Amino acid sequence: MEPRFPRLSPMRVLLPFLSLAICLLPSGCQKPQGDGVTRIVLVTMGGLAHSRHGGREVMESWGQKGLRFSQASAASNWVAPSVASLLTGRNPRAHGLVNLEGASCSSKCPTLPEVLAEAGWTCHAVLGDSFLMEPRGLDRGFETWEFLGAGSGPDSAVDQAVLDSGLDHLRATSGPCFLWLHLVGPRPPYSAPDGWSADRLMQPGQSLTHLLKLQSQADPAGREDLIALHLHDQNSLLESVDQWLGLLDKETLVAFVGSSGFELGEQGRLGSGTSMGEEALAVPFMLLGPGIPVGQVQRRVGHVDLMPTLLDLAGLPEPRDLAGVSILPGRSAAWRPLFSSTRRAHSRDVVYEEGLKLLRDGETGDCSLYDLDRDPDELMEHGTRLGSDRTRLRQVLLDHLERP
């Protein structure tokens, strides 16, 4: 692997001069603000298969040590808008990072690392996904922004390098620290499970394009092979993350969140960013560490809730007008809709009201309503049975889209 050189943000260049200026003040060096946790690690991961496929035993073991949110929805069906919502507490329409054609995160939306840095925290980012090669405004507040994805070998090696570098940052940083690690996650070409037969249709090493062609011709057994290959790599990565978590001290709080899902042949699709089904939007969301109760939360939460929740845990005030709320147990928050959007390839928007999900096609304006409590696989459109809900949620979504 070639040597890694972290890109220094403008804050890193100015930091020595700012620190000197602060220390020359009569009151001495700035003390960190807040009275909560002082070390936070955010681990985000793409490529996770829907829970209906299984393969989440490692995450289930984490759930026995912390707080698991069983109904969490991604802000988008691909990584860039989703992580922007995680770091700003805003919906994609507000933060503006909705595509790769010149879009960036709005400077009007304070980021989580900006708020933490102002309170005296040191913030680092180590990332492996090529969609995050260019920061697009997400690097604001980070002292270092380290991208390890280009030319670093297979995805598994990239993700391990991200974990290794992140641990180095944690060990080298004293005082309040926020570390964001983004892992590429499992995706083709897959590695070879032990004893995998060469007679099977789906084989390790095959490209996404080739697998997509094969799965369109595959029988159910062929699709099961595709799922098995994906879960093999997913389990290997989650075990690596589990070992990495065991190296952290007990004072470090960890948030583990999926950036988006991964479709494995559902309705002929393979990958991420292709649809707005639950295979793409349902993600894991967990909190582990000091002060976190053990249990499971059933209410629906979203990516926008991460920033206010972590600031709550750090004992710091949140910026005004966030779309999210603190989702810690015991915090009272009025019901609010949750939104997901994509402008990649095809414009589509979703609004959730707990178990109800309304999907709107941005090109035709057509809306489909799904009752996820009764029909979690979205096999039926329930607009006829739930006509009044369809009308109401359609207006909620239109109001959201028309808001400045």
Side-chain angles (χ1 to χ4, degrees):
M1 187 179 299
E2 298 179 358
R4 306 189 300 269
F5 299 95
R7 190 181 69 81
L8 298 183
S9 69
M11 176 172 287
R12 179 66 178 270
V13 176
L14 293 174
L15 188 60
F17 303 96
L18 293 175
S19 299
L20 177 61
I22 292 170
C23 288
L24 290 176
L25 295 176
S27 59
C29 288
Q30 181 186 22
K31 293 182 179 180
Q33 304 172 24
D35 55 2
V37 298
T38 57
R39 294 180 76 81
I40 297 176
V41 175
L42 168 61
V43 180
T44 57
M45 182 188 297
L48 290 168
H50 194 279
S51 59
R52 72 167 68 94
H53 299 306
R56 294 194 174 191
E57 291 79 10
V58 174
M59 283 190 286
E60 289 174 3
S61 71
W62 299 343
Q64 297 172 8
K65 306 172 187 176
L67 193 61
R68 181 166 69 93
F69 299 88
S70 60
Q71 297 188 76
S73 301
S76 187
N77 63 355
W78 65 292
V79 60
S82 288
V83 297
S85 289
L86 286 166
L87 293 179
T88 64
R90 311 292 183 106
N91 291 300
R93 178 172 174 77
H95 64 60
L97 183 48
V98 295
N99 59 55
L100 297 180
E101 286 73 48
S104 62
C105 185
S106 172
S107 60
K108 297 179 181 179
C109 298
T111 66
L112 173 61
E114 279 185 300
V115 175
L116 293 173
E118 288 179 2
W121 289 52
T122 301
C123 303
H124 303 285
V126 189
L127 317 166
D129 197 307
S130 58
F131 282 122
L132 302 175
M133 183 184 302
E134 294 297 328
R136 303 180 189 277
L138 295 178
D139 57 340
R140 300 196 311 270
F142 284 107
E143 183 173 328
T144 59
W145 177 279
E146 189 175 4
F147 176 73
L148 303 180
S152 299
D155 290 338
S156 58
V158 171
D159 286 337
Q160 187 60 54
V162 169
L163 293 171
D164 292 343
S165 180
L167 190 60
D168 290 342
H169 279 298
L170 280 178
R171 289 173 171 172
T173 304
S174 60
C177 177
F178 172 70
L179 172 67
W180 173 35
L181 305 180
H182 181 74
L183 306 176
V184 179
R187 64 183 182 184
Y190 298 117
S191 61
D194 292 338
W196 191 264
S197 172
D199 296 332
R200 299 192 184 192
L201 178 64
M202 308 290 184
Q203 289 296 318
Q206 293 173 332
S207 68
L208 175 64
T209 302
H210 189 65
L211 287 173
L212 183 60
K213 183 183 299 184
L214 289 178
Q215 73 90 25
S216 67
Q217 309 164 1
D219 57 15
R223 183 160 175 259
E224 289 301 316
D225 286 348
L226 173 65
I227 294 171
L229 286 171
H230 191 90
L231 293 184
H232 170 262
D233 282 7
Q234 177 173 301
N235 288 336
S236 295
L237 177 54
L238 289 173
E239 288 174 359
S240 295
V241 175
D242 186 58
Q243 295 173 8
W244 188 87
L245 292 176
L247 300 175
L248 303 183
D249 62 59
K250 295 182 179 180
E251 301 306 312
T252 300
L253 183 138
V254 177
F256 180 86
V257 188
S259 58
S260 61
F262 197 91
E263 296 174 273
L264 291 169
E266 291 90 352
Q267 300 184 37
R269 297 183 291 259
L270 178 63
S272 61
T274 58
S275 82
M276 295 292 275
E278 288 304 283
E279 300 83 13
L281 297 180
V283 292
F285 194 131
M286 308 178 74
L287 296 174
L288 310 166
I292 300 299
V294 175
Q296 179 173 296
V297 176
Q298 297 290 344
R299 62 175 289 196
R300 185 168 294 278
V301 302
H303 279 167
V304 293
D305 297 322
L306 179 79
M307 178 177 180
T309 301
L310 294 186
L311 290 176
D312 187 1
L313 286 164
L316 294 170
E318 64 184 53
R320 296 179 57 188
D321 301 324
L322 295 186
V325 298
S326 175
I327 52 178
L328 295 178
R331 304 296 191 268
S332 59
W335 175 86
R336 84 282 190 232
L338 288 168
F339 301 97
S340 300
S341 301
T342 186
R343 298 296 179 266
R344 186 181 177 193
H346 192 84
S347 175
R348 284 155 294 177
D349 299 278
V350 165
V351 58
Y352 289 95
E353 183 188 66
E354 293 302 332
L356 295 180
K357 172 184 178 181
L358 184 83
L359 169 65
R360 181 179 185 272
D361 187 306
E363 297 184 4
T364 66
D366 293 340
C367 293
S368 301
L369 181 67
Y370 300 96
D371 185 344
L372 299 179
D373 292 334
R374 296 189 178 188
D375 179 24
D377 295 334
E378 300 171 284
L379 300 178
M380 296 178 59
E381 201 278 327
H382 293 263
T384 301
R385 181 174 65 87
L386 302 171
S388 60
D389 289 310
R390 183 181 183 277
T391 300
R392 175 174 52 80
L393 289 176
R394 177 180 178 276
Q395 190 59 52
V396 169
L397 183 56
L398 290 176
D399 290 344
H400 167 71
L401 295 175
E402 293 171 359
R403 194 172 299 134

